[in-house]
Amino acid sequence: MARKRKNQPGTDPYLEREQRKYENPVPSREFILAQLEENARPLSRGELAELFGLSDDDALEGLRRRLRAMERDGQVVRNRRNGYLVVDNEDLVRGRVRSGPEGWGVLRPDLGGQEVFLSPREMRNLLHGDRAVVRIVGMDRQDRPEGEIVEVIERANRTVAGRFFSESGVGFLVPDNKRIHQDVIIPPADQAGADNGDLVVAELLNQPTRRRQPIGRVIEVVGRNIPAGSEIDVAARVHSIPVEWPAEVETEAATFGDKVPAAAKRGREDLRRVPLVTIDGPDARDFDDAVYCEPTTNGWKLLVAIADVAHYVQPGSPLDREASERGNSVYFPRSVVPMLPEVLSNGLCSLNPKVDRLCMVCEMQISREGKLRRSRFYEGVMRSSARLTYDEAKAIHIDRDPGVRRRYRGVLKHVDNLFALYRALRKDRERRGAIDFETTETELEFDEQGQIAAVRPTERHDAHKLIEECMVRANVAAARFLERKRVPALFRVHERPNAERLDNLRQFLAQTGLRLEGGDKPSPKDYARLMQRVHKRPDRHLIETVLLRSMMAADYRPGNDGHFGLALDAYTHFTSPIRRYPDLVVHRAIKHTLNGGKPGEFGYSHDELVTLGEHCSMTDRRAEEASRDAEMTLKCRYMSAHVGDEFTGVVSGVTGFGLFVELDNVYVDGLIHITNLESDFFHFDPIGHRLTGERTGKEYRLTDRIRVRVARVDIDERKIDFEPIAHPLDANGELMEDGTRRRGSGRRQQKKGKSGQRQRQRGRGRRGGQR
């Protein structure tokens, strides 16, 4: 029997916030959800209006619009009797869809938790990146929850870039984004003169349904090949990254001058005599943060001053809407797609030297042991004393370079203080057990024609780590402040590895004679201790690579669940509001509290923060994928001049269809297809990350060294094919023993299961070949 509905639902706890936002407020989203849950049954709009005592036309219309907005955002769904049900329970889950190989997909819940598997049949009316509500209908063969689509709540792809083809009078576009598996139908009237094989951009006129593919019209014909110099534009189009500024944004940006007005400086703490400095890369143009440190009786006082973007970008303004849509700046080789127009990102907000700038300051007291003892936040006005590069900071303190020290003699003592503080912060990081993976990042050197002349590894020294540690402490202080004041905001959450990842990791470690401590819930210290134990082993890189791949991806959420990799209980992003929208939200939350606002009066509801956090997590991943694609196109163009040349490299990936190899000194990845290996049937072991020959016993493992020849380069597809020459090689590039590693050489042989089936016939398919 249904529970009887209450007559008086009580007072809406968010009424004051609603009254500030709307002239005729209706019950808040939180209050509506609470009443639906309390009544424990679907309620129609009429029943909800009666429950809340709404009778006049304006109030009823307001309720209708609110419920429609809640449907649109996936908070509620309507059943066939027009009753509203709450989403995010045991049966209904909302989240963003990520496409997998072979047409299936997974939905990542907005509130975290286990991903929901979506069959190829369910994926027919979805594209990669769409948001949807699904109903859990059971468990799949891998014991994952399986879902069916209830409602698509957001379409992520307004345009799609890819190759145009025409067969038997039917035009279609094959998406360049490998995660979009459905071709787009292009009617004859909408082909804009595109020829077979042309790279085009199409606007989607109709999204896919269960019975119909997406339909689009060509809005731009790029041409048969990606023109040299347009790699970045193409990558931005492929990943639907906004590049052009809407007219209303440009109009608003034009209202800002290049100087901070005197009125804006009033009421702020004056830090213009404090020798704050910025330390960034040589090509940086937007300076988010400045630092200053001085010793105290019990440790240090550290100031981290951050550009006060929130002063200029007001909630709901055209600038704010566009920044929210972009989510973050996207950094490409040689260029950037900024989150904010240059008048702000490189001008009025950037902490340029010798000019007045508004800032948000995190002042911290750090103990001699490097622990954050207390902190406070305030609005300030500052004037950066110097713009240092990382190499200049290193030259001042570590190298003691006379010329550099003479140039920056006004800040020498303060830079020395920062390095002294860094040494304490570093020790505290090690005591916590924060996980440090050694990865190689590269920088591209370009010639006058804009093509790659060389690829070099970037040197990461103590000046980089100094700024990183200062920013981490400021982010921790901001997270603690938000928790202490109970004001809602976005946290940067990095979960511990889930059960499946831990199980795979432990199976791999068992083959190497190692063990990860910590049981079902290993701590960062357990990871750190294991990395210390393998530091001098010859297979250290293999083990560290597998450890890194066992990690979860970090994301943005309104709930603080800590940061596993940094071994921190509370963490957020506060230090880069010029280029990350979540940081701007955190600044607004801090300002709200500093100005006497109550937690329930903050301008964002919990559900708005859930949706915003998921959106910013998506734009973060999108930016990474787009940047990687642009860089790979440039590297393919560079490698096209080396077809036939031989290189040494390391196996960077092992799959059922072959090996990915990263070349030494070039840092370019390519594929050795399994059909190019020895005349043998190779079994793929996903736990051991290796291919093993059935007849010869020859093994190829992750991080093995190998010599290859460049066989083919496809610039437009961003693919490089290698042929093996010699394997395995030692550290000097010489062939080891007879070049054959046999099964059972000090490792337990894996039982053959489905992963041990013959792989000769498996290819990468039309969309394969890219990890």
Side-chain angles (χ1 to χ4, degrees):
M1 183 179 293
R3 185 186 304 174
K4 190 174 181 180
R5 192 169 73 240
K6 289 185 177 182
N7 292 323
Q8 296 297 327
T11 304
D12 187 346
Y14 298 94
L15 179 60
E16 289 186 24
R17 184 192 70 198
E18 298 298 313
Q19 287 173 333
R20 286 199 313 275
K21 293 173 70 173
Y22 305 104
E23 185 176 346
N24 298 306
V26 295
S28 67
R29 295 186 180 205
E30 295 94 333
F31 199 42
I32 293 172
L33 292 173
Q35 296 310 309
L36 286 172
E37 289 177 345
E38 190 168 336
N39 279 268
R41 70 180 182 88
L43 297 178
S44 68
R45 177 156 41 103
E47 289 175 311
L48 285 168
E50 181 184 348
L51 183 67
F52 297 127
L54 306 179
S55 56
D56 64 90
D57 291 343
D58 288 343
L60 292 174
E61 175 63 13
L63 179 63
R64 185 190 70 82
R65 292 184 179 183
R66 171 137 296 173
L67 290 170
R68 288 294 300 273
M70 293 174 71
E71 278 189 271
R72 195 166 54 245
D73 291 343
Q75 288 180 279
V76 295
V77 293
R78 265 188 298 176
N79 63 18
R80 294 178 181 178
R81 297 182 179 182
N82 285 322
Y84 288 92
L85 296 86
V86 178
V87 179
D88 294 329
N89 54 41
E90 292 182 358
D91 299 319
L92 295 173
V93 180
R94 62 176 165 156
R96 193 171 296 275
V97 173
R98 176 171 55 87
S99 295
E102 302 168 6
W104 52 264
V106 293
L107 179 136
R108 187 174 187 177
D110 287 350
L111 298 181
Q114 194 171 6
E115 293 181 336
V116 181
F117 175 77
L118 298 173
S119 68
R121 181 172 179 273
E122 293 298 321
M123 288 294 293
R124 286 179 190 169
N125 59 353
L126 293 168
L127 294 178
H128 173 70
D130 288 348
R131 295 187 70 240
V133 174
V134 302
R135 178 182 292 107
I136 305 300
V137 294
M139 307 298 285
D140 70 358
R141 294 177 181 177
Q142 299 180 30
D143 203 31
R144 297 177 298 183
E146 186 170 358
E148 66 177 15
I149 302 299
V150 174
E151 189 172 348
V152 181
I153 56 178
E154 179 189 319
R155 294 293 189 176
N157 303 276
R158 297 176 190 146
T159 60
V160 175
R163 296 282 167 183
F164 172 82
F165 296 97
S166 180
E167 294 180 4
S168 303
V170 178
F172 60 95
L173 177 151
V174 179
D176 198 54
N177 187 335
K178 308 305 178 186
R179 290 189 179 275
I180 298 180
H181 299 294
Q182 299 193 51
D183 295 341
V184 180
I185 302 299
I186 308 293
D190 294 315
Q191 295 174 4
D195 292 326
N196 256 326
D198 277 351
L199 179 63
V200 302
V201 180
E203 176 188 14
L204 292 187
L205 303 175
N206 297 103
Q207 295 285 343
T209 67
R210 200 178 294 274
R211 297 178 180 82
R212 186 195 65 215
Q213 292 175 255
I215 299 173
R217 68 179 179 90
V218 174
I219 57 174
E220 181 181 357
V221 179
V222 178
R224 183 61 55 91
N225 303 112
I226 299 177
S230 66
E231 299 87 357
I232 291 164
D233 290 337
V234 171
R237 286 173 169 81
V238 166
H239 293 277
S240 301
I241 292 173
V243 176
E244 304 296 330
W245 296 108
E248 57 183 356
V249 173
E250 292 185 327
T251 300
E252 184 180 359
T255 63
F256 298 106
D258 57 358
K259 293 182 180 180
V260 179
K265 303 175 189 177
R266 297 192 192 108
R268 292 173 173 261
E269 293 202 28
D270 193 341
L271 302 178
R272 284 175 287 189
R273 295 185 181 276
V274 177
L276 287 148
V277 298
T278 62
I279 305 178
D280 292 275
D283 299 325
R285 297 174 64 192
D286 52 345
F287 306 119
D288 285 295
D289 54 87
V291 290
Y292 166 78
C293 174
E294 65 181 39
T296 63
T297 306
N298 300 314
W300 290 271
K301 180 172 81 171
L302 170 65
L303 299 186
V304 174
I306 306 297
D308 191 357
V309 178
H311 177 82
Y312 301 100
V313 182
Q314 295 298 312
S317 66
L319 266 175
D320 181 56
R321 290 194 298 271
E322 183 66 16
S324 174
E325 175 68 21
R326 297 185 176 212
N328 46 258
S329 298
V330 185
Y331 291 88
F332 291 107
R334 296 181 299 151
S335 69
V336 59
V337 178
M339 185 180 80
L340 297 170
E342 279 195 24
V343 67
L344 291 178
S345 61
N346 296 348
L348 202 53
C349 290
S350 183
L351 304 182
N352 300 323
K354 311 301 182 184
V355 292
D356 289 359
R357 289 291 183 258
L358 304 183
C359 59
M360 279 288 294
V361 183
C362 176
E363 180 181 306
M364 293 167 277
Q365 299 295 326
I366 310 290
S367 72
R368 291 174 182 172
E369 293 75 31
K371 293 187 179 297
L372 175 60
R373 296 170 59 194
R374 60 181 180 273
S375 61
R376 73 181 182 105
F377 289 84
Y378 53 87
E379 297 174 321
V381 56
M382 61 164 285
R383 184 178 295 165
S384 172
S385 294
R387 179 267 197 265
L388 301 175
T389 67
Y390 293 115
D391 288 343
E392 287 172 334
K394 175 176 177 285
I396 289 171
H397 179 80
I398 299 173
D399 302 334
R400 317 299 285 186
D401 184 298
V404 179
R405 289 179 67 84
R406 189 162 49 249
R407 193 184 323 149
Y408 295 108
R409 56 182 174 270
V411 295
L412 295 182
K413 178 179 68 173
H414 310 296
V415 172
D416 289 340
N417 287 338
L418 284 166
F419 274 95
L421 168 64
Y422 162 68
R423 287 187 283 273
L425 295 176
R426 187 70 192 179
K427 287 179 181 177
D428 180 63
R429 181 188 182 96
E430 292 168 0
R431 277 193 297 269
R432 291 196 323 266
I435 304 171
D436 283 320
F437 290 107
E438 294 182 11
T439 58
T440 301
E441 297 184 6
T442 59
E443 60 181 355
L444 307 180
E445 183 179 305
F446 294 89
D447 58 24
E448 293 179 355
Q449 285 72 44
Q451 299 305 307
I452 295 179
V455 183
R456 293 192 174 87
T458 56
E459 181 189 1
R460 190 168 178 275
H461 47 66
D462 281 355
H464 295 84
K465 298 174 184 177
L466 154 64
I467 293 301
E468 178 183 306
E469 287 299 319
C470 290
M471 298 305 111
V472 166
R473 287 315 185 281
N475 288 335
V476 170
R480 291 180 180 177
F481 178 88
L482 295 173
E483 283 216 301
R484 191 167 64 248
K485 300 296 183 180
R486 297 183 180 179
V487 59
L490 289 174
F491 293 87
R492 183 65 169 174
V493 175
H494 184 224
E495 292 183 328
R496 70 175 70 249
N498 61 29
E500 181 182 358
R501 289 171 180 255
L502 283 175
D503 184 54
N504 290 340
L505 174 60
R506 288 201 161 99
Q507 288 185 54
F508 165 77
L509 292 174
Q511 300 176 35
T512 64
L514 293 167
R515 184 168 176 263
L516 177 67
E517 303 292 338
D520 294 337
K521 294 184 178 181
S523 69
K525 277 191 176 181
D526 294 318
Y527 269 79
R529 289 192 193 103
L530 179 56
M531 291 175 66
Q532 289 173 359
R533 289 202 299 274
V534 305
H535 187 67
K536 294 184 179 180
R537 285 179 54 133
D539 57 354
R540 171 175 67 93
H541 292 296
L542 167 61
I543 295 166
E544 287 187 348
T545 300
V546 177
L547 285 169
L548 176 60
R549 293 180 181 181
S550 74
M551 294 284 106
M552 305 289 284
D555 56 17
Y556 295 104
R557 299 181 200 168
N560 172 39
D561 291 319
H563 196 291
F564 182 79
L566 293 173
L568 293 167
D569 294 331
Y571 196 67
T572 190
H573 275 169
F574 161 78
T575 55
S576 298
I578 290 178
R579 59 186 178 89
R580 290 190 307 228
Y581 194 80
D583 301 52
L584 177 56
V585 174
V586 167
H587 277 235
R588 287 172 177 165
I590 293 173
K591 279 174 169 279
H592 173 78
T593 304
L594 294 179
N595 293 328
K598 298 176 182 177
E601 298 172 351
F602 187 46
Y604 296 86
S605 70
H606 177 79
D607 197 78
E608 287 173 328
L609 289 172
V610 168
T611 304
L612 181 59
E614 192 285 324
H615 171 76
C616 291
S617 298
M618 180 275 292
T619 63
D620 190 27
R621 292 188 295 269
R622 180 180 69 182
E624 189 176 325
E625 291 173 359
S627 181
R628 186 169 58 240
D629 276 4
E631 187 171 311
M632 190 61 190
T633 304
L634 289 164
K635 287 181 176 180
C636 283
R637 200 176 296 280
Y638 172 71
M639 290 301 296
S640 63
H642 294 279
V643 174
D645 292 352
E646 295 183 8
F647 296 87
T648 57
V650 62
V651 176
S652 58
V654 182
T655 72
F657 55 80
L659 309 168
F660 286 94
V661 176
E662 182 184 86
L663 303 184
D664 295 341
N665 304 320
V666 185
Y667 306 98
V668 171
D669 278 289
L671 176 73
I672 302 176
H673 197 269
I674 200 165
T675 55
N676 286 326
L677 298 179
E678 290 83 353
S679 298
D680 200 349
F681 292 109
F682 282 84
H683 300 283
F684 172 46
D685 174 9
I687 302 299
H689 299 269
R690 61 189 173 196
L691 289 172
T692 305
E694 183 177 282
R695 179 175 54 82
T696 63
K698 180 71 181 282
E699 283 187 355
Y700 292 90
R701 291 197 308 163
L702 193 68
T703 72
D704 276 357
R705 297 196 55 71
I706 188 171
R707 188 164 187 81
V708 299
R709 179 185 295 114
V710 181
R712 187 177 74 95
V713 177
D714 188 326
I715 298 173
D716 296 328
E717 292 293 319
R718 299 185 297 278
K719 294 176 183 175
I720 302 173
D721 288 332
F722 296 146
E723 295 174 346
I725 302 298
H727 168 273
L729 307 179
D730 61 20
N732 298 317
E734 301 295 328
L735 189 64
M736 295 169 58
E737 302 170 355
D738 63 350
T740 301
R741 182 191 283 116
R742 300 285 179 180
R743 287 178 289 179
S745 57
R747 290 178 302 276
R748 186 170 59 197
Q749 183 178 343
Q750 291 286 293
K751 292 181 179 179
K752 295 178 184 178
K754 287 191 175 181
S755 63
Q757 294 175 356
R758 294 184 174 185
Q759 301 292 329
R760 279 280 297 180
Q761 293 79 16
R762 288 189 60 179
R764 41 183 174 182
R766 189 184 70 186
R767 304 182 192 282
Q770 290 295 111
R771 286 175 296 156

